Amino acid sequence: MKQSPALVRWEQRTQRPLLGLSVAFAVAYAVPIVSPDASRDTVSVCLAVEWLVWGAFAADYTVRLTLTDRDRRREFVRSHWLDLCAVLLPLIQPLRLLRLVSTLVLVGQRARMASQIRLTTYIVGSVVGLMMFGSLAVLSVERDAPGANIHTLGDAVWWSFTTMTTVGYGDHSPTTGPGRMIAVGLMLSGIALLGVVTANIAAWFISRFEADDVEERRQTAAIAALTEEVRSLRAEINALSTGPRPAPMPVEDRQH
């Protein structure tokens, strides 16, 4: 979708501030979970920061929708459905931390890196973000649950890693309904990311083979053209060497 100049300028100017707000949200989200003994004031401040960041993202979405041409706003909503979900459902607001990945992608484009490198950067950022929030989310719902076996942040990180890679050792597993929903999300995300990585590697090999094939064809065509030119030159030389020789001069002309 072609963006209006005003929308492009807005997104460029707000990219870094929203990235900072995403980091602030991540910290505010993690502090009460990592430090369950934190004071009530600390928890209140973290909650206020979360709602403040959510409000900033909601305002950002509203402004971007307003700056979009009227005849393209419906298309904007369809193409930015995750943003809309993040605004309407504050519980999935941590996913907006992936704006960090967007910033890294922009940096990669300015550095003119290969598309595979930009995609790899996106995947790495997605994996880190999903693991971090998956670990924090499962720890928050499992730590005090009866019969739970995920009690520390280390256990939660290990469980997130084995779940995303679909290894599933079984030494740690969620026992609550919300924890299992988080597990389903991480498993689906891990399968999707694995598919993206596989497709990216296959695309890289195919592009390399195609580039080599094009170069080989170009060299073959150049050699064929050069061979044909050499044959033409040889034919011309042979024609000159075997052509009719000038007749000898008469004797009288020689004496004069």
Side-chain angles (χ1 to χ4, degrees), residues 30-51:
V31 167
I33 299 175
V34 177
S35 302
D37 299 332
S39 63
R40 181 174 299 179
D41 293 339
T42 302
V43 176
S44 299
V45 170
C46 292
L47 183 61
V49 171
E50 291 180 12
W51 281 107

Side-chain angles (χ1 to χ4, degrees), residues 1 25 35 43 59 62 68 95-96 139 148 175 210 213 215:
M1 183 182 70
F25 181 90
S35 302
V43 176
T62 304
T68 305
L95 292 179
R96 292 303 296 265
L139 181 61
T175 58
E210 289 180 349
D213 185 54
E215 180 64 20

Side-chain angles (χ1 to χ4, degrees), residues 115-128 130 164-165 188-206:
S115 59
Q116 286 79 14
I117 298 178
R118 292 199 301 268
L119 183 57
T120 302
T121 304
Y122 175 83
I123 293 172
V124 171
S126 301
V127 169
V128 172
L130 287 172
M164 286 192 64
T165 55
L188 294 178
S189 301
I191 294 172
L193 289 173
L194 181 61
V196 171
V197 171
T198 304
N200 186 38
I201 295 175
W204 182 82
F205 277 110
I206 291 174

